[in-house]
C-alpha cells in the first residue's frame, strides 16, 4: 500500500512537467509543420504587388515584329472598383465559378465533399472544388512550378493561402481582385481589358449577354474564344445563363430573352501585323505553355509567317473583293456587282513540304465590326461545296481504299453516268428519303470519264462514286488527311459539301495529292526565353530557316508528320486531273483564272445556297486555299468559286511563287495507254475519238471497245445486210450502243439510237456486247447483274398531294422502267399495287402514266427475259399520296 501511495505522489509531483513537455512538443511540431508547409509562401499582400514584366514578342520568319505582348499590368489590365463592374458580370462569375462564394471562409467544405464523392465514383479526378479565393491564391501567390501540381500538398498550401486572403480582405475586395486579374483570352487580363478587346466598350457598359459570355471564357479561354470559334463561345454562354438561373439571378424568361440577343464582337484597336495569325499563335502558346507563362513575358516567338507575303495577300483579298462588288477604287456602274452581297474572304498559304503557314488572312479587315472582321474565317467551320470531291475520287481510284470498300478501283478513264438519278438515303431523322442531285449548270452530260467528271465538278457522278465507296470511307480518308470536322450524321451529299471544314484544314489536306502523305500546318519555328525546366515535351533543335542562332523549340503538335494516306500513284492521278486545263474546259473554259504559267492543280467549290465559295490548289512548293462569303452566313448573289475565290487564288499563287516551281514528278507504277475516249476501253477502227490516259499499273483496260459498232445496213429493210443484199442497197453506219437509260439524253444530243432490230442482230453476233457498254473495268457490271430490271421513275419514298383545283386527269405520275443491260426481253410489265398498267413484248424499256389516288402505293417493273421463262421483278418504289393540306405547304418569303 505504501508503495502505491509513493507512485501516486511521484505522479502528482511530476505530472505537470509531463503535460508541459507534451504541450511544448506539440507546439514545436506545429511550428515545424507550419515552417515546412507554409513558411516559404509569400504574404497575402503580395497579390497587390504586380511588378512590370518583360514583353513577349511575336515575330515573322525573318525576325520582323508582328506584335509585342504588353506587360499585362501596364497594358491590357485595368483595375476597377467593384462598384464600376456590372452586377450581371459579378453574378455570372459567381454562378459559374463559385456559387457559395459569400458563404465559405475561402475553402468550401460542401464543394470538397461533393468533388471527393464524384472523384471516388469516377475512379479519377473528374471534379474540382476550388473557390474564387483559392483560384486567386493559386494564380497570384504560387509560382508556376507549383501552380499546376495535382498533389494534396499543393491543395493544402492553396487552402492555407485562401484562409489568409479571407482574413486580410473582405469579400468585395476579393471579388474585385478576381475580376481584375482573371485571364479571359486574347491577352486580356481582367474584365475591363476583356470588355475592350472583345466588345470595344468599357466593362461598365457590358450587357447581361456579354457578361455571361465573358464569364464563360475563364475556364477555357482559347477553346471558347469567340473570335476563333463563335459557336463554341455561344454554347458556353448558354451554359453560364443556365447556371445564373440555377443560382436565382435570372428567371427562365430572362434566360431565353438574353440568349436571343446578338453578340457583336469587335477587337480593340492596337498595333499589330497579321492579327488573325498572331491570335492563332497566341492560342498555340497558351495551349503549350499555359496562360501564366505567357503572362510572365520575356519570350521571343519566331513564327513561320512571311510578313511581306502576308501584306501582299491582304492587299490581294481587298482588291479582288472590291472588284467583285464594284466598291472603292474598283467602283463601276454594274448594278449586278453592287448587289452581290459579298463582304468577306479568307486565305491560307502553306509550304507544301513543311506545312509552315506563310500567310493567314482571316478577313479583309480585322478591325471592321461591320463585317465581323476579327472573326478568323480561316479557322471557322464552313461547308466546302465541291472542294471536297477530290477526296471521294481518291478513295475510288486508290486500290487500297477501294478494296477496303469492297470495290475494284476506278480509273481516270472509267465512265460514269451523268444522268438524272434518285438515291435512297436516310434524312436527319433517320427516315428513308429520296435524294436527287443536280449539276451546277442544270444540265446532264451523259457518259463521262472520271477525269471529265472531277475536272468539271459534275455532281451526280461524284454522288455515284461516293455511293460506290461509302460515306464512312470518305470520312476516314478525310480524317487521315487532316479534316476532322466530319463528326455529324451525313449521307451522300457529303461529297457535295454537306459537312463542314476549316479553310486551314482543307488547304493542308490537299497536301496528300502531292505524294500521298499528310501535311500538318505549323505556325511556330522557335521560342527564345524558355528555361530548361519549361521545355517539357518540346523538342530541341539547333538552327532554323530564318538563320537566327536560336534554339528551335518545336511543339509536337506542330510537327509535320507526313503520314501516308493514299498511294503516290493515286495522288498523281488526282493532281493530273486537277491540273488538266483541257479536261475542265467544258465547265470553266480554256485559260481561265484557274490556269497559271506554271504547273498547278486546283479545285473550286460553291454551296448550293451561295453562302460559301472556295478555290483550293497547289504546286510542288505551295498549298493555297481561299474562301469567299459572309461572316454572318448571309447568302451571296450569283458568286461561284471561280468568280469569287478563283481570282484571289490566282493572285496568291503568283505571289507565293517568285520563281516557277518544279513540275509534278510522275511516280513509278503508272502506265500511259491509248484509249477510246467515250468508252474508256481500247480503241477500235469504229471508235470516233482516242486519247492517252494514265493508269495505275494493272488497272488499264484490256478489252477492245464494243460500244461503237460499225453496221452494214440494207437500205430497203433497215436491217443488217446479209449475203443476199445487193451492193447498191448496202450502207455502212456506226452506232453508239448505250443502255436504255441514256435514250433521252441521246435524243436530246441528236445521237442516233440503233433500232431494236439492229441491236438484236448485233447482240446475236456478239453475245457479250452489253456487258461492258458503259464503263471500263466493269463499273456497272455488278449493278446489271444485281438488278437486271430497274425502275427509273417514280422516286422511292416521294410524297405528293392532290390539289382540289386541278382535274384528276392532270395529276399523274410518269412510271418508267428499263432492262439494265439494254437487251430486249420477251415481255415487260409496269405494275402498281399488283395491277399491270402497261405491257410490251420484245422491249428493253417501258413507260406509262398513272393517275394518282390517295394512299401509299408500290411500283415495280417485271417481266421474262425469254418466252416461257421465270418472271424477274425489280426493286419496288413506295410513294405516298395525300389530300391537299395548307399547313404542309411551305410558302417562300416575298
Amino acid at each position: 500500500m505504501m508503495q502505491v501511495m509513493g507512485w501516486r505522489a511521484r505522479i502528482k509531483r511530476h505530472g505537470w512537467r509531463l503535460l508541459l513537455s507534451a504541450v511544448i512538443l506539440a507546439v514545436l511540431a506545429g511550428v515545424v509543420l507550419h515552417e515546412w508547409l507554409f513558411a516559404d509562401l509569400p504574404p497575402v499582400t503580395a497579390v497587390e504587388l504586380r511588378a512590370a514584366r518583360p514583353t513577349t514578342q511575336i515575330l515573322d520568319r525573318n525576325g520582323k515584329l508582328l506584335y509585342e505582348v504588353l506587360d499585362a499590368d501596364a497594358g491590357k489590365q485595368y483595375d476597377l472598383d467593384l462598384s464600376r463592374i456590372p452586377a450581371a458580370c459579378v453574378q455570372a462569375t459567381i454562378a459559374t465559378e463559385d456559387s457559395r462564394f459569400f458563404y465559405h471562409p475561402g475553402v468550401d467544405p460542401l464543394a470538397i465533399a461533393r468533388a471527393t464523392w464524384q472523384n471516388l465514383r469516377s475512379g479519377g479526378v473528374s471534379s474540382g472544388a476550388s473557390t474564387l479565393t483559392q483560384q486567386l491564391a493559386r494564380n497570384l501567390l504560387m509560382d508556376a512550378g507549383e501552380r499546376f501540381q495535382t498533389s494534396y500538398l499543393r491543395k493544402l498550401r492553396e487552402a492555407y493561402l485562401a484562409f489568409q486572403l479571407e482574413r486580410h480582405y473582405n469579400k468585395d475586395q476579393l471579388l474585385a481582385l478576381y475580376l481584375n486579374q482573371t485571364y479571359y483570352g486574347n491577352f486580356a487580363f481582367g474584365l475591363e481589358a476583356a470588355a475592350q478587346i472583345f466588345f470595344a466598350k468599357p466593362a461598365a457598359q457590358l450587357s447581361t449577354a456579354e457578361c455571361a459570355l465573358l464569364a464563360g471564357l475563364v475556364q477555357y479561354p482559347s477553346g471558347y474564344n469567340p473570335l476563333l470559334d463563335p459557336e463554341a463561345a455561344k454554347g458556353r454562354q448558354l451554359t453560364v445563363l443556365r447556371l445564373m438561373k440555377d443560382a436565382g439571378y435570372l428567371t427562365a424568361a430572362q434566360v431565353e430573352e438574353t440568349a436571343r440577343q446578338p453578340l457583336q464582337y469587335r477587337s480593340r484597336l492596337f498595333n499589330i501585323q497579321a492579327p488573325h495569325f498572331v491570335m492563332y499563335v497566341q492560342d498555340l502558346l497558351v495551349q503549350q505553355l499555359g496562360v501564366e507563362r505567357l503572362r510572365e513575358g520575356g519570350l521571343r516567338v519566331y513564327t513561320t509567317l512571311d510578313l511581306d507575303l502576308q501584306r501582299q495577300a491582304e492587299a490581294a483579298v481587298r482588291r479582288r473583293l472590291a472588284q467583285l462588288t464594284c466598291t472603292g477604287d474598283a467602283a463601276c456602274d454594274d448594278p449586278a456587282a453592287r448587289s452581290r452581297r459579298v463582304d468577306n474572304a479568307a486565305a491560307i498559304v502553306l509550304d507544301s513540304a513543311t506545312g509552315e503557314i506563310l500567310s493567314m488572312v482571316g478577313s479583309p479587315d480585322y478591325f471592321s465590326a461591320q463585317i465581323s472582321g476579327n472573326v478568323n474565317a480561316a479557322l471557322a467551320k464552313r461547308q466546302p461545296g465541291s472542294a471536297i470531291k477530290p477526296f471521294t475520287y481518291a478513295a475510288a481510284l486508290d486500290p487500297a481504299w477501294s478494296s477496303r470498300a469492297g470495290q475494284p478501283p476506278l480509273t481516270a478513264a472509267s465512265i460514269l453516268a451523268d444522268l438524272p438519278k434518285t438515291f435512297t438515303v436516310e434524312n436527319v431523322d433517320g427516315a428513308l428519303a429520296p435524294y436527287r442531285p443536280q449539276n451546277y449548270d442544270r444540265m446532264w452530260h451523259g457518259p463521262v470519264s472520271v477525269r471529265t467528271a472531277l475536272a468539271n465538278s459534275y455532281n451526280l457522278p461524284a454522288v455515284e462514286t461516293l455511293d460506290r465507296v461509302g460515306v464512312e470511307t470518305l470520312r476516314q480518308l478525310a480524317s487521315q488527311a487532316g479534316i476532322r470536322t466530319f463528326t455529324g450524321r451525313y449521307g451522300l451529299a457529303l461529297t457535295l459539301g454537306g459537312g463542314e471544314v476549316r479553310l486551314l484544314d482543307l488547304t493542308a489536306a490537299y497536301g496528300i495529292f502531292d505524294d500521298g502523305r499528310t501535311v500538318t500546318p505549323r505556325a511556330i519555328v522557335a521560342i527564345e526565353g524558355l528555361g530548361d525546366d519549361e521545355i517539357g515535351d518540346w523538342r530541341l533543335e539547333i538552327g532554323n530557316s530564318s538563320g537566327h542562332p536560336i534554339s528551335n523549340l518545336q511543339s509536337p503538335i506542330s510537327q509535320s508528320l507526313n503520314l501516308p494516306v493514299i498511294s503516290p500513284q493515286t495522288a498523281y492521278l488526282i493532281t493530273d486531273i486537277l491540273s488538266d486545263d483541257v479536261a475542265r474546259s467544258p465547265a470553266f473554259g480554256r485559260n481561265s483564272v484557274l490556269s497559271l504559267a506554271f504547273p498547278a492543280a486546283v479545285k473550286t467549290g460553291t454551296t448550293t445556297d451561295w453562302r460559301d465559295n472556295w478555290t483550293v490548289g497547289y504546286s510542288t512548293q505551295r498549298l493555297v486555299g481561299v474562301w469567299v462569303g459572309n461572316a454572318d452566313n448571309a447568302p451571296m448573289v450569283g458568286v461561284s468559286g471561280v468568280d469569287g475565290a478563283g481570282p484571289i487564288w490566282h493572285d496568291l499563287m503568283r505571289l507565293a511563287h517568285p520563281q516557277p516551281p518544279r513540275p509534278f514528278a510522275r511516280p513509278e507504277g503508272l502506265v500511259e495507254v491509248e484509249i477510246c475516249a467515250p468508252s474508256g476501253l481500247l480503241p477500235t477502227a469504229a471508235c470516233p475519238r482516242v486519247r492517252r490516259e494514265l493508269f495505275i499499273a494493272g488497272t488499264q483496260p484490256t478489252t477492245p471497245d464494243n460500244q461503237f459498232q460499225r453496221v452494214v445496213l440494207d437500205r430497203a429493210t433497215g436491217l443488217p445486210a446479209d449475203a443476199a443484199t445487193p451492193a447498191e442497197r448496202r450502207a455502212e453506219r456506226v452506232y453508239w450502243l448505250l443502255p436504255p437509260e441514256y435514250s433521252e439524253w441521246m435524243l436530246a444530243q441528236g445521237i442516233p439510237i440503233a433500232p431494236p432490230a439492229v441491236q438484236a442482230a448485233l447482240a446475236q453476233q456478239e453475245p457479250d456486247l452489253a456487258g461492258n457498254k458503259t464503263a471500263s473495268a466493269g463499273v456497272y457490271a455488278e449493278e446489271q447483274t444485281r438488278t437486271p430490271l430497274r425502275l427509273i421513275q417514280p422516286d422511292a419514298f416521294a410524297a405528293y398531294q392532290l390539289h382540289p383545283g386541278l382535274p384528276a386527269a392532270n395529276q399523274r405520275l410518269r412510271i418508267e422502267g428499263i432492262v439494265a443491260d439494254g437487251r430486249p426481253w420477251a415481255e415487260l410489265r409496269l405494275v402498281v399495287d399488283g395491277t399491270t398498267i402497261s405491257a410490251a413484248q420484245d422491249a428493253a424499256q417501258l413507260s406509262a402514266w398513272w393517275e394518282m389516288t390517295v394512299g401509299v402505293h408500290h411500283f415495280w417493273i417485271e417481266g421474262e427475259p425469254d418466252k416461257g421463262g421465270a418472271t424477274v421483278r425489280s426493286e419496288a418504289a413506295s410513294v405516298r399520296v395525300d389530300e391537299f393540306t395548307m399547313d404542309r405547304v411551305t410558302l417562300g418569303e416575298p
Side-chain angles (χ1 to χ4, degrees):
M1 175 64 74
M2 291 298 295
Q3 188 175 9
V4 172
M5 292 292 292
W7 278 105
R8 287 178 177 174
R10 274 187 289 236
I11 289 173
K12 286 181 179 180
R13 187 167 57 252
H14 299 292
W16 67 273
R17 295 178 180 174
L18 294 173
L19 180 60
L20 180 62
S21 298
V23 170
I24 292 173
L25 286 173
V27 171
L28 287 174
V31 170
V32 170
L33 184 63
H34 182 276
E35 287 295 310
W36 175 61
L37 284 177
F38 310 124
D40 62 331
L41 291 173
V44 293
T45 52
V47 297
E48 300 176 41
L49 304 176
R50 296 186 289 278
R53 301 175 176 89
T55 63
T56 285
Q57 292 182 327
I58 298 179
L59 311 166
D60 88 332
R61 66 191 300 108
N62 298 310
K64 296 177 181 178
L65 182 65
L66 300 177
Y67 182 68
E68 189 163 15
V69 185
L70 301 176
D71 167 24
D73 301 309
K76 298 180 193 175
Q77 193 279 328
Y78 310 86
D79 279 339
L80 295 177
D81 293 330
L82 195 61
S83 60
R84 296 174 57 195
I85 296 175
C89 289
V90 175
Q91 295 166 353
T93 301
I94 291 174
T96 306
E97 297 295 327
D98 186 1
S99 61
R100 289 173 40 80
F101 174 71
F102 290 107
Y103 306 102
H104 61 67
V107 177
D108 189 349
L110 293 179
I112 293 174
R114 181 177 63 251
T116 301
W117 172 246
Q118 292 174 350
N119 294 336
L120 288 173
R121 291 186 63 185
S122 66
V125 181
S126 62
S127 177
S130 292
T131 63
L132 288 184
T133 316
Q134 286 176 273
Q135 292 181 47
L136 279 174
R138 179 169 65 248
N139 293 331
L140 299 183
L141 296 175
M142 287 183 163
D143 61 46
E146 183 179 15
R147 189 177 302 131
F148 301 107
Q149 293 178 3
T150 57
S151 66
Y152 288 108
L153 177 61
R154 194 270 293 171
K155 295 293 290 184
L156 184 62
R157 286 160 60 86
E158 178 186 293
Y160 172 81
L161 287 173
F163 279 123
Q164 297 301 315
L165 284 172
E166 294 272 351
R167 288 179 57 196
H168 196 274
Y169 301 97
N170 62 40
K171 290 288 186 180
D172 285 354
Q173 290 173 317
L174 291 173
L175 193 55
L177 190 61
Y178 182 89
L179 291 169
N180 284 321
Q181 290 293 317
T182 293
Y183 181 65
Y184 290 90
N186 265 48
F187 304 115
F189 292 89
L191 188 67
E192 177 67 15
Q196 296 283 358
I197 286 176
F198 289 108
F199 297 111
K201 61 172 65 174
Q205 297 178 12
L206 291 171
S207 66
T208 300
E210 293 164 341
C211 285
L213 182 125
L214 293 179
L217 301 182
V218 173
Q219 286 191 6
Y220 190 16
S222 62
Y224 296 131
N225 187 338
L227 306 185
L228 296 178
D229 196 341
E231 292 182 6
K234 182 64 179 179
R236 178 62 177 164
Q237 181 215 36
L238 297 179
T239 299
V240 173
L241 291 174
R242 176 181 58 78
L243 293 172
M244 292 177 72
K245 179 179 74 68
D246 294 343
Y249 295 126
L250 297 175
T251 65
Q254 288 173 325
V255 167
E256 186 175 345
E257 178 185 357
T258 305
R260 286 198 303 265
Q261 295 176 10
L263 294 167
Q264 299 294 330
Y265 304 118
R266 184 180 169 207
S267 287
R268 173 179 176 234
L269 300 181
F270 47 87
N271 186 20
I272 187 172
Q273 302 290 334
H276 293 102
F277 178 76
V278 168
M279 296 307 168
Y280 174 68
V281 168
Q282 172 231 316
D283 279 338
L284 292 179
L285 293 172
V286 169
Q287 293 171 28
Q288 292 296 300
L289 299 177
V291 171
E292 291 307 315
R293 181 61 188 91
L294 186 61
R295 185 176 184 176
E296 289 173 8
L299 303 177
R300 288 174 64 82
V301 182
Y302 290 88
T303 70
T304 60
L305 193 86
D306 183 330
L307 183 56
D308 292 337
L309 178 62
Q310 173 72 17
R311 288 168 174 163
Q312 292 175 322
E314 291 171 351
V317 166
R318 289 192 290 267
R319 182 179 64 254
R320 289 297 190 176
L321 282 181
Q323 291 175 354
L324 194 63
T325 56
C326 276
T327 56
D329 295 337
C332 66
D333 296 327
D334 183 1
R338 291 196 299 271
S339 63
R340 279 178 177 145
R341 179 62 173 95
V342 50
D343 298 329
N344 222 317
I348 289 289
V349 179
L350 302 177
D351 184 297
S352 59
T354 65
E356 293 180 349
I357 301 173
L358 303 176
S359 175
M360 175 186 283
V361 181
S363 76
D365 184 357
Y366 182 85
F367 298 108
S368 172
Q370 185 177 359
I371 63 170
S372 301
N374 54 11
V375 174
N376 191 345
L379 302 179
K381 290 187 286 187
R382 309 287 300 215
Q383 290 192 337
S386 295
I388 205 68
K389 286 177 182 172
F391 300 92
T392 300
Y393 284 102
L397 290 169
D398 190 85
W401 282 96
S402 56
S403 175
R404 199 177 307 177
Q407 298 285 345
L410 294 181
T411 72
S414 295
I415 303 300
L416 304 172
D418 186 28
L419 296 172
K421 183 174 180 179
T422 300
F423 300 85
T424 301
V425 299
E426 288 188 2
N427 60 21
V428 292
D429 300 321
L432 295 177
Y435 174 52
R436 198 174 181 89
Q438 297 287 331
N439 281 324
Y440 179 82
D441 60 7
R442 301 294 175 180
M443 297 174 62
W444 303 106
H445 308 92
V448 295
S449 67
V450 165
R451 177 177 292 274
T452 299
L454 175 56
N456 293 279
S457 200
Y458 297 148
N459 284 342
L460 193 130
V463 175
E464 187 82 57
T465 302
L466 182 58
D467 192 38
R468 174 185 175 84
V469 299
V471 172
E472 188 58 30
T473 298
L474 173 57
R475 189 206 302 264
Q476 291 177 9
L477 189 150
S479 176
Q480 290 188 25
I483 300 172
R484 299 184 177 89
T485 47
F486 291 162
T487 57
R489 184 175 188 169
Y490 306 105
L492 296 175
L494 183 60
T495 191
L496 305 185
E500 290 184 324
V501 301
R502 297 182 177 92
L503 176 62
L504 177 61
D505 298 340
L506 182 63
T507 305
Y510 266 65
I512 69 169
F513 301 132
D514 182 14
D515 58 3
R517 293 178 170 271
T518 57
V519 172
T520 305
R522 179 186 177 198
I524 299 174
V525 174
I527 301 177
E528 241 183 3
L530 290 177
D532 292 339
D533 59 336
E534 294 178 311
I535 294 177
D537 293 332
W538 291 53
R539 184 165 59 87
L540 180 64
E541 296 177 352
I542 303 300
N544 63 89
S545 59
S546 59
H548 295 281
I550 57 178
S551 297
N552 185 0
L553 302 175
Q554 180 181 327
S555 161
I557 65 169
S558 297
Q559 295 175 27
S560 189
L561 301 178
N562 297 120
L563 301 176
V565 178
I566 56 178
S567 72
Q569 294 78 20
T570 302
Y572 187 82
L573 286 178
I574 295 293
T575 294
D576 193 57
I577 294 171
L578 296 183
S579 59
D580 190 339
D581 193 51
V582 174
R584 64 172 170 251
S585 61
F588 299 99
R590 294 295 299 273
N591 300 316
S592 67
V593 294
L594 305 182
S595 299
L596 293 164
F598 51 82
V602 60
K603 183 71 187 73
T604 63
T606 304
T607 54
T608 54
D609 55 10
W610 302 95
R611 297 180 191 277
D612 307 274
N613 72 63
W614 310 69
T615 301
V616 184
Y618 54 98
S619 70
T620 52
Q621 293 181 1
R622 298 289 182 260
L623 291 155
V624 176
V626 177
W627 167 86
V628 169
N630 294 299
D632 61 2
N633 212 32
M636 297 169 286
V637 180
V639 180
S640 69
V642 71
D643 298 327
I648 300 174
W649 177 85
H650 182 93
D651 290 352
L652 295 189
M653 285 291 285
R654 293 179 60 188
L655 293 169
H657 294 88
Q659 301 297 325
R662 66 184 184 279
F664 296 106
R666 182 189 298 185
E668 296 182 357
L670 291 172
V671 295
E672 189 171 334
V673 176
E674 187 177 71
I675 61 169
C676 179
S679 69
L681 301 173
L682 297 177
T684 65
C687 177
R689 182 167 55 90
V690 299
R691 65 178 176 87
R692 300 194 67 80
E693 183 57 272
L694 287 171
F695 297 87
I696 298 175
T699 66
Q700 66 268 31
T702 58
T703 306
D705 169 69
N706 56 14
Q707 289 187 18
F708 294 93
Q709 292 292 318
R710 192 181 304 275
V711 183
V712 179
L713 298 177
D714 186 330
R715 295 177 186 273
T717 64
L719 298 175
D722 55 24
T725 306
E728 66 271 14
R729 283 170 40 194
R730 290 174 177 265
E732 191 176 79
R733 191 166 192 177
V734 175
Y735 283 106
W736 190 4
L737 301 180
L738 291 173
E741 61 259 40
Y742 286 95
S743 297
E744 290 188 15
W745 175 81
M746 294 176 74
L747 290 172
Q749 301 299 314
I751 301 172
I753 299 175
V758 173
Q759 294 188 43
L762 290 172
Q764 290 177 3
Q765 296 173 17
E766 192 174 350
D768 295 331
L769 182 64
N772 219 339
K773 286 180 180 177
T774 55
S776 62
V779 174
Y780 285 93
E782 180 184 347
E783 181 180 356
Q784 292 172 0
T785 302
R786 186 180 70 252
T787 57
L789 294 178
R790 290 170 54 195
L791 190 71
I792 303 299
Q793 297 183 70
D795 296 339
F797 305 104
Y800 301 90
Q801 291 187 10
L802 293 177
H803 197 288
L806 294 176
N810 291 352
Q811 302 190 64
R812 300 186 299 167
L813 282 182
R814 180 176 171 82
I815 316 302
E816 182 179 2
I818 62 169
V819 179
D821 64 7
R823 300 185 186 187
W825 279 29
E827 183 169 349
L828 292 177
R829 295 178 296 277
L830 289 175
V831 182
V832 181
D833 298 331
T835 301
T836 299
I837 63 169
S838 181
Q841 289 75 41
D842 295 323
Q845 185 176 8
L846 188 59
S847 63
W849 289 93
W850 172 74
E851 188 175 305
M852 292 191 293
T853 60
V854 172
V856 176
H857 304 280
H858 307 282
F859 303 80
W860 66 86
I861 182 173
E862 66 180 25
E864 295 77 36
D866 303 301
K867 195 169 184 178
T871 298
V872 178
R873 175 174 163 176
S874 73
E875 295 181 356
S878 299
V879 170
R880 188 180 75 249
V881 180
D882 297 323
E883 297 284 2
F884 180 82
T885 52
M886 177 64 76
D887 61 352
R888 292 184 56 193
V889 176
T890 301
L891 300 177
E893 295 182 1

